[in-house]
Amino acid sequence: MERITLQSGARKMAEGEVIAYATEAVFGLGCDPDNREAVMRLLAIKQRPVEKGLILLAADVDQLRPYVDFDALSDAQRQRVFDSWPGPYTWVVPAKPGVPEWITGQFQSVAVRVTAHPQAADLARLFGKPMVSTSANLSGDEPGRSVAEVQHTLSGRVAGVVDSQVGDSLSPSTIINAITGETLRAG
């Protein structure tokens, strides 16, 4: 698996490919959330059921607006979400009508994050919209924390790995239900 640039990674996702890229704590697998075939390929690589849903990672809140019904949140809920970004907080929020079920899974919501990782944010900016973000590993295995680990684990399965480094976080993002405030995964 080749090491690729941010520009090449954005181009490969636009072409329907699955890539690996660094985030705050681990490498993630990414693709175009609107490309069903790409998402299904990513899920097959991960050995992850579509019913679980996927996280969308963005460079800024505006990239998420086509997918998220922020108006379904109270002012206080919305402010809590916005105040946590950019950062290692993934929020489960109501999805806008028409968000594909291969992203929402069995839910009427979507998990979203505005990343604080500079290279991941640049990748999303170059791509022009949010990208799927799920840990770069097979289900049940430890996520990759280096280019070499990802190359070893996922060689031949993805179109490339962005030549980058993970951030300083030791655990994946905290996942919180924006409406109930329930922590679904502690980071």
Side-chain angles (χ1 to χ4, degrees):
M1 168 190 337
E2 69 176 314
R3 290 176 182 240
I4 57 176
T5 64
L6 291 170
Q7 293 81 2
S8 178
R11 186 175 59 254
K12 286 180 182 293
M13 286 191 295
E15 293 169 352
E17 298 289 343
V18 176
I19 65 162
Y21 60 93
T23 68
E24 289 90 342
V26 298
F27 271 78
L29 292 180
C31 68
D32 181 348
D34 299 311
N35 183 322
R36 183 182 190 281
E37 292 75 27
V39 173
M40 291 301 155
R41 194 164 41 258
L42 180 145
L43 291 171
I45 292 166
K46 282 279 296 182
Q47 301 168 359
R48 178 185 173 97
V50 69
E51 293 79 20
K52 282 188 165 186
L54 291 164
I55 295 172
L56 298 182
L57 182 138
D60 56 53
V61 172
D62 286 339
Q63 285 191 329
L64 296 172
R65 293 193 190 282
Y67 303 88
V68 174
D69 185 1
F70 286 118
D71 292 337
L73 301 176
S74 71
D75 290 343
Q77 291 165 337
R78 194 170 34 255
Q79 196 59 51
R80 185 172 176 216
V81 170
F82 291 169
D83 286 349
S84 75
W85 288 337
Y89 295 94
T90 297
W91 293 89
V92 176
V93 294
K96 279 197 172 169
V99 173
E101 72 279 354
W102 58 83
I103 296 299
T104 61
Q106 63 185 337
F107 308 103
Q108 300 300 310
S109 56
V110 61
V112 294
R113 181 167 85 248
V114 174
T115 184
H117 189 278
Q119 292 163 320
D122 286 346
L123 182 60
R125 270 189 215 93
L126 288 166
F127 185 49
K129 63 180 178 179
M131 53 200 173
V132 169
S133 184
T134 185
S135 57
N137 62 303
L138 304 178
S139 286
D141 291 350
E142 285 295 312
R145 292 188 48 86
S146 71
V147 170
E149 287 178 17
V150 173
Q151 287 176 316
H152 175 73
T153 305
L154 297 173
S155 181
R157 297 177 191 243
V158 299
V161 57
V162 174
D163 195 7
S164 55
Q165 295 181 343
V166 298
D168 295 333
S169 294
L170 298 177
S171 56
S173 66
T174 298
I175 301 177
I176 306 167
N177 182 311
I179 291 179
T180 67
E182 178 188 3
T183 298
L184 305 173
R185 178 180 79 189

